[in-house]
Amino acid sequence: MSSFLNTPSLGYRVEGLLAKPGSGLVALLVLFIIAMTFVAPSFLSFGNWENIANQAVFVLLLALGMTIVLIARGIDLSVGSVMGLSAGVAAFLINQGLIFPLALLAGIGCGLICGLLNALMITKLGLPDFVATLAMLGVARGVLFLWTEGTPFTRYMTPEYRLVGGQVKLGGIITIPIIVAVVLCILVSLMLRKSLIGRHLYAVGGSPDAARLSGISVSAVKTFAYVVSGGCAGLAGVILAGRATNVAPTLGTGYEILAITAAIIGGAALTGGQGRMVGAILGALTITLIANAMNIAGVTSEWQQVVTGIILLLAILLDRITAYFKKRQTSAEIEQSPQQEPTPATAPRRAIS
Amino acid sequence: METTPTRNENGTSGSTRRNILGAGALMGTLGLLTACTTPPGGSTAGGGSGGGGGGGAEGSAEFTDAVKKLVNGRTLQVGFTPPVLSEYYTQMENAAFTRMAQLEDLYGVQWKWEKSSPTGNFNAVEQQISTVQTWTSRKFDIVFICTGANFATMQGVYKNAMDAGTSIFQFNQPVELYPIDQINTVSNIGYDNRWQSGYVAGKFIADTLKGKGKIVQIMGPSGSDWTKARLIGFNQAMAENPGIEVVGTADGGYLRDKGLSAAQDLLTRHRDINAIYGENEDMALGASQAVDAAGLKQWDGSEGIVIVGADGLLSGMEAIRNGKLTASVDVNSVDNAIRMIDTAFQSVVLKNYVPKISNITTHLVTKDNVDAHAAYINGIMDPAKKY
């Protein structure tokens, strides 16, 4: 941000830190964690952080897909249902005797197909994103209800699936869901920052018309976003089936709200063109951390809802404060070096230009 | 009118008696199929001579013919709306079909069956209100409902339906929390969640731990009537056993993965617990996984963590058999459904006065008796006819 030669004052440097996207949220999380260590020292134990990481994986996978969709100025309400249906596909096929890796791939494939159907409804039929994915939310859930006839799929668990579901640690060190989440985070981050499709996503989300004029196929970009989101939901579903050890027709219900919340806490905007992979991680971690901490602190579930709401609100407000400092920094930099082009406030602007 | 069972009737000491009655119910059912004479009231579980039974001394040719005349080949249009589609309600539906087919064979009553359940989460209740209203306008004879909706809201919906000629029967609903004169249904078939579920689980834990130990609870969604009612009974059992301490509670949303996460969180702070109470079986099974994952030992008959759930699902019984669940309160999906069909038949067709509250028996299932209870449910899972 600021040049070394300018030797900025301490206040300026603090402001610089505060201006970093997500810094407010990190500060909030740090304060929260410090407070929790007084309530229950066991909160800081390695085992608990392992639990938090394993619990956060599902929201994180969905939030990654959701962030991509939100960047492209869409929204995917179907992820919870698609997650459940994909879990059902994997469990059913294992019970039918299909070999384990193929059953998992079929589950993920189910997510990809649902994502593609969402995209086709939006790009070919011209349905609003909200409506198309809302329809998919209903259809995918309904199909799972009809298919299971209300009775959960069971008896599909194998030693390998226990490993994939994170019930057993790989080599006694780390669970597969965490490895999958880390790899996916790296891939998504590279895709968003380094690839052409990443820049196109921001361009389409920032201004679809401008993107179209500059020769970007908005349909293709949107299709990519929804297929990735569907694939993430499929992946989350097959892993969740391994964690839950049964696929109830209600599996994954309500996860769409968690995913959207995580993405938005992480800085993605419903208006498109904004969002980062790190944001999705922070968002998913915040949601999981709050639930975990309150269970440990013994906060009753009625109060948990109130506290969760307030903390989410605080997270968003802190983001606003971050934006304020960023604005101040940017204008300060302009004043200091009028010739130098200011650092773009957000990536999309860069992508569009 | 049936009175609320006393707590003493529902202690572990009563379980043997209920098992015998449960077996009696099965015999009664078989008796109906072969049209042999069964004693009055012996046809349904728990000696429910009031709400149960097809109407008295079933099986005698004279009685059967007379009832057949009353029925006159009538077709009953029935709506069945559980709060969620789940294994419990699938078991109930199969038991209902089994009993409906028996009544059809015996008395010539015809059934038209429709099922509707909210496809969202447990709290998606608006859908059920409109379902009842639609069925009422379609002149259904009978609506069987169990709902997570607000009590007062539903009484208004029920009153409108009953005024329009549709008879409403609630099943598996914690009506014990409300004044009986405010319930606008013909009858409520179920069990007392306080003393036939929550108390039973609490007492079992206390007895198993010999009155001393620490417990954590994984409960249903906050504010749920089932949760409220079961906690009343559970807390009573705790009050009777001051050596048992509840050290933590978390919301498991009646779901296995949420129950697992909640149990993991609680185990972080309380690794020295002796028992986990899961308000339903799915959450208890999630807790069971959490105990395994934390490297802790489950109850083996002399030591380890006692895990108790409630529902009476075939999958739960398999877990008990495999040592993954210490015990579960079986709230008797089979008798719930049989009593529901019988009560509706008696009320709507025979115009009998049925009890407003009709409670069935519940059972505490452990490794020792799991085979009998699983067999009882398996006996209805393949009904002679599906509707």
Side-chain angles (χ1 to χ4, degrees), chain A residues 39 42 48 51 55 141 145 149-151 155 167 243-246 249-250 255 292 295-297 301-302 305, chain B residues 84-87 90 119-121 222-223 250-251 255-257 260-262 264-266 268-269 282 289 318:
Chain A
V39 178
S42 53
N48 190 44
N51 285 343
Q55 291 168 11
R141 180 66 61 200
F145 267 108
E149 294 178 341
T151 304
R155 300 179 187 199
Q167 293 192 44
R243 177 174 163 91
T245 69
N246 75 348
T250 47
Y255 266 89
N292 169 276
N295 278 342
I296 290 178
S301 55
E302 291 86 347
Q305 295 179 31
Chain B
V84 66
L85 288 180
S86 68
E87 196 176 348
T90 303
T119 46
N121 62 30
S222 51
D251 182 349
L255 300 168
R256 188 174 303 189
D257 60 319
L260 163 59
S261 296
Q264 280 184 326
D265 296 345
L266 291 173
T268 298
R269 191 170 181 185
D282 238 5
Q289 280 174 242
E318 196 181 313

Side-chain angles (χ1 to χ4, degrees), chain A residues 153-238:
Chain A
F153 289 140
T154 52
R155 300 179 187 199
Y156 56 83
M157 288 306 290
T158 58
E160 303 93 76
Y161 216 163
R162 287 171 58 81
L163 202 62
V164 169
Q167 293 192 44
V168 185
K169 283 186 252 183
L170 193 64
I173 304 165
I174 191 164
T175 65
I176 286 186
I178 294 178
I179 298 173
V180 169
V182 169
V183 169
L184 205 70
C185 281
I186 294 170
L187 287 179
V188 169
S189 178
L190 286 175
M191 187 269 289
L192 285 178
R193 289 155 50 133
K194 306 278 182 198
S195 75
L196 187 68
I197 183 74
R199 288 199 295 278
H200 285 181
L201 279 167
Y202 286 109
V204 167
S207 167
D209 290 336
R212 200 173 286 120
L213 286 174
S214 58
I216 296 172
S217 165
V218 174
S219 296
V221 171
K222 279 216 150 182
T223 303
F224 172 80
Y226 280 103
V227 170
V228 171
S229 178
C232 286
L235 186 61
V238 296

Side-chain angles (χ1 to χ4, degrees), chain B residues 54-55 58 63-76 100 102-111 141 342 344-352:
Chain B
E58 270 182 356
F63 178 77
T64 306
D65 286 346
V67 174
K68 220 176 213 167
K69 274 193 193 124
L70 285 175
V71 172
N72 196 22
R74 181 172 173 185
T75 300
L76 294 173
M100 283 151 65
Q102 287 166 0
L103 292 180
E104 187 174 331
D105 268 3
L106 272 171
Y107 308 122
V109 59
Q110 308 288 313
W111 305 89
D141 300 294
D342 281 348
F345 179 74
Q346 287 203 328
S347 169
V348 175
V349 181
L350 304 183
K351 312 288 179 200
N352 290 349

Side-chain angles (χ1 to χ4, degrees), chain B residues 179-237:
Chain B
I180 191 168
D181 56 342
Q182 289 176 18
I183 306 170
N184 295 334
T185 57
V186 178
S187 181
N188 304 277
I189 300 94
Y191 50 89
D192 191 315
N193 284 272
R194 296 168 300 184
W195 317 123
Q196 289 182 274
S197 182
Y199 180 81
V200 181
K203 185 161 189 321
F204 172 79
I205 290 174
D207 289 349
T208 309
L209 298 179
K210 300 194 166 54
K212 202 169 175 318
K214 289 181 180 174
I215 303 183
V216 294
Q217 301 168 317
I218 317 285
M219 304 305 287
S222 51
S224 137
D225 278 352
W226 289 270
T227 305
K228 274 187 220 160
R230 287 175 184 182
L231 261 185
I232 292 172
F234 192 86
N235 289 340
Q236 176 63 33

Side-chain angles (χ1 to χ4, degrees), chain B residues 113-382:
Chain B
W113 181 266
E114 273 186 42
K115 176 170 73 173
S116 171
S117 167
T119 46
N121 62 30
F122 204 74
N123 298 318
V125 292
E126 306 77 15
Q127 221 174 318
Q128 274 188 303
I129 296 174
S130 55
T131 297
V132 174
Q133 287 168 340
T134 309
W135 283 346
T136 304
S137 64
R138 285 174 58 200
K139 305 278 175 213
F140 273 35
D141 300 294
I142 296 162
V143 168
F144 295 123
I145 181 168
C146 172
T147 176
N150 173 272
F151 174 81
T153 310
M154 290 318 291
Q155 301 322 306
V157 176
Y158 296 159
K159 185 168 189 315
N160 292 340
M162 299 270 278
D163 288 349
T166 298
S167 298
I168 303 278
F169 298 83
Q170 285 189 119
F171 59 90
N172 195 32
Q173 193 78 31
V175 285
E176 60 272 17
L177 292 177
Y178 300 96
I180 191 168
D181 56 342
Q182 289 176 18
I183 306 170
N184 295 334
T185 57
V186 178
S187 181
N188 304 277
I189 300 94
Y191 50 89
D192 191 315
N193 284 272
R194 296 168 300 184
W195 317 123
Q196 289 182 274
S197 182
Y199 180 81
V200 181
K203 185 161 189 321
F204 172 79
I205 290 174
D207 289 349
T208 309
L209 298 179
K210 300 194 166 54
K212 202 169 175 318
K214 289 181 180 174
I215 303 183
V216 294
Q217 301 168 317
I218 317 285
M219 304 305 287
S222 51
S224 137
D225 278 352
W226 289 270
T227 305
K228 274 187 220 160
R230 287 175 184 182
L231 261 185
I232 292 172
F234 192 86
N235 289 340
Q236 176 63 33
M238 294 302 102
E240 290 170 10
N241 292 278
I244 304 274
E245 188 191 356
V246 178
V247 293
T249 301
D251 182 349
Y254 287 139
L255 300 168
R256 188 174 303 189
D257 60 319
K258 240 189 130 184
L260 163 59
S261 296
Q264 280 184 326
D265 296 345
L266 291 173
L267 284 171
T268 298
R269 191 170 181 185
H270 312 284
R271 276 188 77 83
D272 57 341
I273 54 158
N274 308 99
I276 301 177
Y277 171 48
E279 195 212 311
N280 80 347
E281 265 167 29
D282 238 5
M283 294 190 293
L285 289 171
S288 164
Q289 280 174 242
V291 168
D292 286 345
L296 298 166
K297 189 175 178 317
Q298 296 205 22
W299 184 255
D300 62 0
S302 56
E303 56 175 6
I305 297 176
V306 175
I307 305 171
V308 181
D311 267 337
L313 309 177
L314 283 172
S315 60
M317 296 197 183
E318 196 181 313
I320 290 173
R321 220 177 252 144
N322 298 335
K324 292 292 169 199
L325 198 60
T326 317
S328 184
V329 183
D330 171 9
V331 294
N332 205 341
S333 52
V334 177
D335 289 353
N336 210 329
I338 293 174
R339 179 82 66 88
M340 176 180 94
I341 296 296
D342 281 348
T343 307
F345 179 74
Q346 287 203 328
S347 169
V348 175
V349 181
L350 304 183
K351 312 288 179 200
N352 290 349
Y353 292 92
V354 294
K356 189 83 173 256
I357 308 284
S358 185
N359 281 345
I360 50 161
T361 60
T362 62
H363 327 117
L364 183 78
V365 183
T366 62
K367 218 167 188 168
D368 296 335
N369 62 13
V370 64
D371 289 343
H373 292 297
Y376 188 50
I377 299 168
N378 276 323
I380 53 82
M381 285 309 275
D382 195 15

